[in-house]
Amino acid sequence: QVAMAPICCLAARVVTFLPTPKPVSLAISFKTSRLFAIALILALSTAILIARGLVQGVGITMSEIRRIALGDVDANVPVGKFSGEIGRVLEALDQMVANMRENAKAAHALASGDLGIEPRALSDKDRLGLAQKKVVVTLRQILGAKSL
């Protein structure tokens, strides 16, 4: 037991040097909780307002996209209403609708018998533009051969 005595004394000394925990004031804890609750309410309110604006905007956009899907090339794409990815998607959609308007105009002219039009293909993958060009060339050849 003699050998154990110094260890116990040493442990008692170490314990006395440890800082004693300070009592937490209930007022500070309540203030912190209240500030946290206010910050949480503000963050949730802001998130709800942003989400509501996006959902309403996307809802309007979806109704226009459905009109375009049904062939209504006079639908208006709300370009400039959104920024970021949604804004870039809407800009591309607006360009697509403009191209569809041009194709519809060329198709209407062809249906009316106007072979003086020059349909254009936007790229080598533009099947509709390439087909319209081919129709004009073919009709010109057929009508040219018959008139000779």
Side-chain angles (χ1 to χ4, degrees), residues 10-145:
L10 181 62
R13 285 184 185 157
V14 169
V15 170
T16 59
F17 286 117
L18 290 176
T20 57
K22 295 181 182 178
V24 177
S25 168
L26 189 57
I28 293 174
S29 177
F30 179 70
K31 250 185 195 175
T32 305
S33 297
R34 192 169 47 178
L35 286 174
F36 178 75
I38 291 170
L40 183 64
I41 289 170
L42 285 173
L44 287 173
S45 299
T46 303
I48 288 170
L49 288 174
I50 290 171
R52 186 184 311 164
L54 281 174
V55 168
Q56 287 174 347
V58 170
I60 292 168
T61 303
M62 286 305 299
S63 67
E64 295 298 312
I65 291 172
R66 284 188 186 98
R67 286 179 57 195
I68 294 164
L70 294 173
D72 184 358
V73 294
D74 294 324
N76 294 316
V77 178
V79 177
K81 188 172 184 175
F82 296 96
S83 60
E85 283 298 312
I86 294 176
R88 286 192 287 277
V89 167
L90 292 177
E91 287 172 5
L93 181 64
D94 188 50
Q95 183 62 48
M96 183 181 74
V97 171
N99 293 336
M100 289 173 64
R101 283 185 194 118
E102 289 298 315
N103 282 327
K105 191 186 300 181
H108 184 70
L110 280 171
S112 299
D114 182 5
L115 295 180
I117 66 163
E118 294 294 333
R120 64 184 180 99
L122 299 172
S123 71
D124 60 338
K125 299 196 183 291
D126 182 5
R127 290 183 179 180
L128 183 57
L130 292 170
Q132 286 179 339
K133 287 179 84 165
K134 188 172 182 179
V135 165
V136 169
V137 169
T138 303
L139 286 174
R140 285 178 186 162
Q141 289 173 347
I142 291 171
L143 293 174

